[in-house]
Amino acid sequence: MAGSGFRFHIWDPPLILFQIIAIQSLTYMCLGFLAALSANISTEPLSLALIFSSQGLSHWSMYLAHLAGSAMTGFGIWLFVRRAKQCLDFAVTAFVCHFLLCIAYSGIPRGGWWWLMAVAQVAIASTFGEFLCIRTELRQTITLDVPLM
């Protein structure tokens, strides 16, 4: 079974690093666009604090922007990783990277809502990514090789 190529996995650190960078880039591109829309809706000034600070979560539209950004993270996991087993790993890695960027920008987040959103974001990203990956894996593995008569 090991030589068949089914679910063959090679440890490739550069590939994993580039997958993390690609997922983060897609997430922040989507989140930046949604933060700009949210700032327009809530008449708040557009700044990086909307993304990297717990004070940025001051309007319902920013909560929705962060949740949609986590769905984009799940889509990125499906797009770049395509492995259901690794969805939680990449979702947590994306959150840890975001957490470190938040610490660098504004210190350790102290708001309870920020931490609740962080847990929700990891759950949404991993669940949505896993859903897409499993759907793709099932479509690829279930084939019928029945000759037509």
Side-chain angles (χ1 to χ4, degrees):
M1 185 84 173
S4 69
F6 182 69
R7 298 213 190 256
F8 187 67
H9 182 70
I10 298 173
W11 173 249
D12 189 7
L15 174 66
I16 294 170
L17 180 66
F18 286 125
Q19 287 172 328
I20 292 169
I21 291 169
I23 291 167
Q24 290 295 116
S25 300
L26 184 65
T27 300
Y28 285 126
M29 187 174 59
C30 176
L31 193 54
F33 175 73
L34 293 173
L37 283 177
S38 175
N40 192 18
I41 291 171
S42 65
T43 64
E44 290 185 29
L46 185 60
S47 72
L48 286 177
L50 293 174
I51 297 173
F52 296 114
S53 173
S54 59
Q55 286 80 23
L57 294 175
S58 59
H59 193 262
W60 63 268
S61 60
M62 273 314 297
Y63 287 104
L64 291 178
H66 279 275
L67 292 176
S70 64
M72 186 55 70
T73 303
F75 178 76
I77 292 170
W78 171 75
L79 188 65
F80 299 117
V81 178
R82 301 265 175 152
R83 296 279 310 230
K85 275 178 97 173
Q86 296 176 338
C87 286
L88 183 60
D89 299 337
F90 277 94
V92 170
T93 301
F95 165 72
V96 169
C97 292
H98 180 69
F99 178 65
L100 293 174
L101 289 170
C102 288
I103 289 174
Y105 184 79
S106 63
I108 296 175
R110 299 203 189 325
W113 284 107
W114 189 93
W115 289 100
L116 185 64
M117 284 296 293
V119 170
Q121 286 174 319
V122 169
I124 289 170
S126 64
T127 304
F128 187 57
E130 195 167 328
F131 167 75
L132 292 174
C133 289
I134 287 174
R135 203 173 87 187
T136 302
E137 287 175 0
L138 286 176
R139 192 176 314 135
Q140 290 173 351
T141 58
I142 299 176
T143 59
L144 296 175
D145 292 330
V146 178
L148 297 174
M149 292 187 202

